[in-house]
Amino acid sequence: MKALVLSGGGSKGSYQIGVWRALQQLGIKFDIVTGTSSGAINGALITQNTYFRAIHVWKNLNYKNIFGSEFNNSSKLITLYKGFVKNFINDGGTEVKELQELINKNLKINRFYNSKINYGLVTYNLTTKKPLLLQKKDIPKDKLGDYILASASCFPAFKTKKIDGEEYVDGGYYDNLPINLAIDMGADEVIVVDLHEVGLKRKTKKKVKQTIISPRNNLSNFLVFDAEYSRLNMKYGYNDTMKVFGKFEGNHYTFRLNEVHKFKTKYEETYKYILDKVFNTKDAIKEFEKRIELPQDLKDNIILKGIEDTGYKFNIDDSKIYTCKRFNRVLKHEVRKQLKSKEKNSVLSIFKLLQAQEYEKVKSKIITRPFDLIKAIYIYTIFEV
């Protein structure tokens, strides 16, 4: 049986909805979903197969409908942290009644329990000092929303969740990535969505086939609940999943199939030509890599890294899906804007030296700005070749 395992991660959980969208498009089905914290919330929405409801939840998730008016419009992390500390000292944590209502409102009880997908969550019983790992069959219908919130009660930021006189906290205190729970439920293959957030992770008790999906881009802070960040995280989740299953290419940026080859074909010749001119030797690439002491994995991917780093240098949107032609068109536009602005930019300084064929001056930049040279060569490539 195949399982989808969803880690905790606060507001980063919106990434998992993008993963779900990609899995649906790929026709990948699973028999089991396990989750901790935000993964438990998403897991319930996935089990009941309400994708558009999940989109609605995350796009409308904000401080007011999680914490109430007290945290409304709190955008600065320091303001949030101070609020959490104050509430913990005065009241044992921040009340999240609004989040409970949001969960209950979006659960379709009959649809959830009639689903062919089995479901499991992790929470921690603070009263008994023991973890509680629940499967669908173990959860009373009238307490489903309570146990989901218990799994997501990020104490001490949030108050503990009380169920039948006992207190529960976030499942990340025991296992933030419930692969073992999926195995106990019968999984022999798992698709794991790991948001790499704070929480304990248990050593896998049994060897099973694992496909790991994790963010390759910087997601928002796990306490920042904002519609725009949620939309962006969902795009990243979709893109990364498609890369894992070989439908897209790239690392931090996302390119359609075979587009990276187009980049490399165009860039490699110029890269070698420029380095030959700078070092005046047949082994120019080896000489350059030796001088900057690149690790082997970077040597093997230096051209893709150069392309993607150039994109970041010029603030190219890393959530979109590109062809080689489109990426280069956007990059040229941004480069022209900066050239007109006459702001200091070390990459463009080297680019201008390359245009002027002042290779000795370029050589002097190698020790201090080697990666800027890699970026400048790419810009030279798309402008001059």
Side-chain angles (χ1 to χ4, degrees):
M1 287 197 291
K2 185 181 293 184
L4 178 65
V5 178
L6 306 172
S7 80
S11 63
K12 293 182 180 181
S14 50
Y15 176 94
Q16 295 170 345
I17 304 304
V19 174
W20 183 19
R21 175 191 165 205
L23 293 176
Q24 286 179 308
Q25 287 190 10
L26 293 167
I28 295 173
K29 301 183 184 298
F30 30 84
D31 311 288
I32 299 163
V33 179
T34 63
T36 298
S37 196
S38 59
I41 297 173
N42 287 332
L45 295 168
I46 291 170
T47 299
Q48 65 187 30
N49 194 27
T50 49
Y51 172 73
F52 290 105
R53 186 171 289 272
I55 293 286
H56 176 78
V57 167
W58 281 103
K59 285 187 176 181
N60 290 278
L61 212 55
N62 54 47
Y63 298 113
K64 187 175 182 179
N65 62 27
I66 296 175
F67 308 117
S69 58
E70 178 184 0
F71 282 85
N72 193 23
N73 297 323
S74 296
S75 58
K76 293 183 179 180
L77 285 176
I78 188 64
T79 303
L80 290 172
Y81 292 145
K82 285 180 178 178
F84 289 135
V85 170
K86 176 185 174 183
N87 288 345
F88 175 69
I89 293 171
N90 294 337
D91 203 25
T94 299
E95 188 68 70
V96 286
K97 286 182 179 178
E98 286 79 5
L99 179 57
Q100 179 75 81
E101 291 174 5
L102 185 67
I103 291 171
N104 290 339
K105 181 180 177 181
N106 287 283
L107 286 173
K108 297 298 179 184
I109 300 298
N110 290 333
R111 188 163 180 160
F112 175 88
Y113 282 96
N114 291 332
S115 170
K116 293 180 180 179
I117 299 173
N118 200 0
Y119 171 80
L121 64 76
V122 181
T123 183
Y124 189 83
N125 189 318
L126 205 58
T127 304
T128 64
K129 303 294 191 294
K130 292 180 180 179
L132 183 63
L133 288 73
L134 296 173
Q135 298 182 32
K136 186 196 289 188
K137 62 182 176 61
D138 303 319
I139 307 173
K141 288 185 178 182
D142 62 340
K143 289 190 170 61
L144 176 60
D146 291 333
Y147 280 110
I148 290 173
L149 183 61
S151 180
S153 293
C154 187
F155 181 79
F158 300 174
K159 276 188 172 182
T160 60
K161 175 62 180 174
K162 290 184 180 179
I163 304 174
D164 296 332
E166 297 185 330
E167 294 185 282
Y168 294 86
V169 294
D170 197 292
Y173 279 94
Y174 177 73
D175 191 355
N176 204 41
L177 193 64
I179 298 173
N180 286 329
L181 175 57
I183 293 171
D184 289 341
M185 293 169 68
D188 50 24
E189 180 180 351
V190 293
I191 298 172
V192 179
V193 188
D194 188 355
L195 297 173
H196 295 304
E197 260 307 322
V198 176
L200 297 175
K201 294 178 185 177
R202 299 280 158 179
K203 184 177 179 180
T204 306
K205 64 172 79 171
K206 178 182 175 183
K207 189 174 182 180
V208 295
K209 181 182 177 183
Q210 295 189 29
T211 301
I212 310 293
I213 302 168
S214 292
R216 304 185 185 197
N217 304 78
N218 292 324
L219 305 186
S220 57
N221 183 282
F222 77 104
L223 286 174
V224 176
F225 293 89
D226 177 87
E228 287 304 313
Y229 282 129
S230 292
R231 290 187 183 96
L232 192 61
N233 291 346
M234 282 187 266
K235 287 182 180 181
Y236 289 143
Y238 176 82
N239 293 346
D240 289 348
T241 304
M242 288 301 207
K243 291 174 198 173
V244 167
F245 287 95
K247 300 301 180 182
F248 290 154
E249 299 178 319
N251 187 22
H252 298 296
Y253 282 88
T254 303
F255 305 107
R256 298 198 178 277
L257 280 182
N258 302 317
E259 292 297 313
V260 171
H261 177 71
K262 293 179 184 178
F263 281 111
K264 288 184 175 181
T265 300
K266 195 171 187 179
Y267 187 21
E268 277 177 338
E269 292 180 6
T270 313
Y271 180 67
K272 184 178 184 304
Y273 172 81
I274 294 295
L275 292 182
D276 283 348
K277 290 291 186 180
V278 170
F279 290 102
N280 195 25
T281 174
K282 291 182 178 180
D283 293 322
I285 293 177
K286 287 184 179 179
E287 178 67 25
F288 175 61
E289 292 175 351
K290 179 181 176 182
R291 290 201 181 196
I292 60 175
E293 298 181 343
L294 290 171
Q296 189 58 48
D297 63 330
L298 190 52
K299 287 181 184 179
D300 295 339
N301 296 284
I302 193 167
I303 291 175
L304 179 59
K305 177 173 173 55
I307 294 163
E308 294 196 327
D309 283 358
T310 306
Y312 275 116
K313 180 71 176 180
F314 290 89
N315 301 312
I316 308 302
D317 188 340
D318 62 1
S319 70
K320 293 182 177 179
I321 301 163
Y322 293 97
T323 61
C324 176
K325 186 176 181 180
R326 183 188 180 196
F327 184 87
N328 288 343
R329 184 173 65 247
V330 174
L331 178 58
K332 286 172 80 170
H333 176 73
E334 292 301 321
V335 168
R336 288 191 182 108
K337 278 171 54 178
Q338 290 205 24
L339 285 170
K340 287 180 181 178
S341 71
K342 296 182 179 180
E343 293 180 12
K344 287 186 178 181
N345 184 315
S346 59
V347 173
L348 293 184
S349 296
I350 298 173
F351 166 61
K352 290 175 183 177
L353 291 175
L354 292 176
Q355 285 185 313
Q357 299 183 13
E358 296 186 31
Y359 300 120
E360 282 300 316
K361 290 183 179 180
V362 172
K363 191 173 183 178
S364 68
K365 303 282 187 181
I366 288 173
I367 299 301
T368 57
R369 303 248 178 214
F371 294 105
D372 283 352
L373 172 58
I374 294 171
K375 300 182 191 83
I377 291 175
Y378 189 69
I379 294 170
Y380 180 86
T381 301
I382 63 174
F383 271 88
E384 304 295 329
V385 178

